[in-house]
Structure formats: structure tokens, C-alpha cells
Amino acid sequence: KFPTEVEDIAEQAKQEAKMEATISKLSRIWSGVEFVFEPHKGTSVMLMSLKEEDIETLEENQVQVQNMFASRFLAAFEDEVIGWQKTLANIYETTTLLAEVQRTWDFLENLFIHSEEVKKELPDESERFMEIDDDVKAMLTKGGEVRLVRYFCCEPGIYQVL
């Protein structure tokens, strides 16, 4: 008597179940992804990065979340999908900026810490870099303590610190 309505309800349930499974998968994946740590020039300072496969997973997951926004069945999971969109964007932006900060810090460290000539020629800048050096090392230490990408990248204020 109501085949169209039954089909619509069944389709909605199927699509919502698919979305729920994707959200669960995102949570499962990103609750376990850790940074890779490698020593900086033989020191105790550990540089942080994402594995290549984790970068690929991040990009794939961002596409999956975007696709969920296109679904007409979004309403039931809208808050979770928006949350994952923000989380994945934070991970992408923070890890990208983190890589850039580490590269720049490494370059400047050679100038301002390992070069006596630069220290003499640019004493104010060298002193300022010493503060930056301490901040970068503190942030990397914190990353080593947190280890999990999702929690480090979504830490309030971490992007501003970088």
C-alpha cells in the first residue's frame, strides 16, 4: 500500500548507517595515529612528522567528510560531520605549519646558534632566536608527550603557538 515511503525509509536508514560507519571509522583511525619522531642532528630534540600513508589517509578522510556534506541524509549526523571537518582541517593545517616551522628553525639554528660571527653581527636577533629556540623545543617536547596527532593538532592554541 505504501511501497514508495517504505523504500524511502529503507534508503534513508541505509545511508545513515553508512554515514555512521564512516564516522566510527574516522574515530577509530585518528584515535591511534601517532607522529613519527626522529632525532634532530644527533641531539635529544625529536622532530615530528606524519608518515606518508597517514598524510594519504588524512586527504582521503577529508574527501569522505566533504562527500557527507553533499548527502541529503546529513541531518542526523551534522554535528559529528562538522566536528570531523574541523578536526581533519586542524590536523592538516597544524602538521603543514609544523613541518615549515621545523625546517625554518633548523636553518636558523645553524645561523644563530652555531655561528659565532652571526652572534657578534646580530646580537639582538640572536637573543630573540634563543627565545624562539626554547619555544620550539618546548613544543616538540610536548608533541613527544602527547604523541597522538589528533590530540596535539586539536590542542587549543597550538596553531597560534606555531
Side-chain angles (χ1 to χ4, degrees):
K1 194 171 185 182
F2 301 101
T4 306
E5 289 85 352
V6 171
E7 285 175 16
D8 288 347
I9 292 169
E11 178 63 20
Q12 180 173 349
K14 184 175 137 186
Q15 293 302 322
E16 286 179 359
K18 191 175 170 184
M19 255 190 215
E20 189 172 26
T22 300
I23 291 168
S24 292
K25 185 178 117 184
L26 291 171
S27 185
R28 201 170 45 256
I29 289 169
W30 290 101
S31 65
V33 175
E34 291 190 1
F35 282 105
V36 174
F37 297 91
E38 62 181 74
H40 172 63
K41 296 181 183 174
T43 68
S44 62
V45 176
M46 301 299 277
L47 299 179
M48 303 164 50
S49 63
L50 279 181
K51 288 185 272 186
E52 191 61 41
E53 66 230 34
D54 292 333
I55 293 170
E56 290 171 13
T57 298
L58 175 60
E59 291 169 353
E60 290 168 11
N61 291 164
Q62 286 180 303
V63 169
Q64 288 173 319
V65 168
Q66 266 323 111
N67 289 340
M68 285 194 267
F69 276 107
S71 172
R72 63 186 174 113
F73 305 108
L74 173 65
F77 300 101
E78 189 168 8
D79 290 343
E80 289 102 319
V81 174
I82 289 170
W84 276 107
Q85 182 186 39
K86 289 178 182 175
T87 296
L88 297 173
N90 282 344
I91 291 170
Y92 176 79
E93 292 168 7
T94 303
T95 55
T96 300
L97 186 55
L98 176 64
E100 187 177 319
V101 165
Q102 290 177 123
R103 266 191 309 279
T104 303
W105 169 73
D106 179 47
F107 174 76
L108 293 174
E109 181 188 46
N110 285 328
L111 292 175
F112 290 111
I113 292 183
H114 301 298
S115 171
E116 292 304 318
E117 186 177 327
V118 171
K119 286 180 187 177
K120 287 177 187 168
E121 294 290 323
L122 302 168
D124 294 342
E125 290 81 355
S126 293
E127 194 171 308
R128 173 139 164 56
F129 181 77
M130 294 301 284
E131 293 172 18
I132 293 169
D133 184 59
D134 290 342
D135 291 344
V136 169
K137 287 176 180 173
M139 180 204 48
L140 293 172
T141 299
K142 182 178 180 94
E145 293 165 359
V146 174
R147 301 196 76 77
L148 294 170
V149 172
R150 176 180 174 188
Y151 299 111
F152 179 83
C153 292
C154 294
E155 177 90 17
I158 192 66
Y159 195 79
Q160 288 74 17
V161 169
L162 291 169

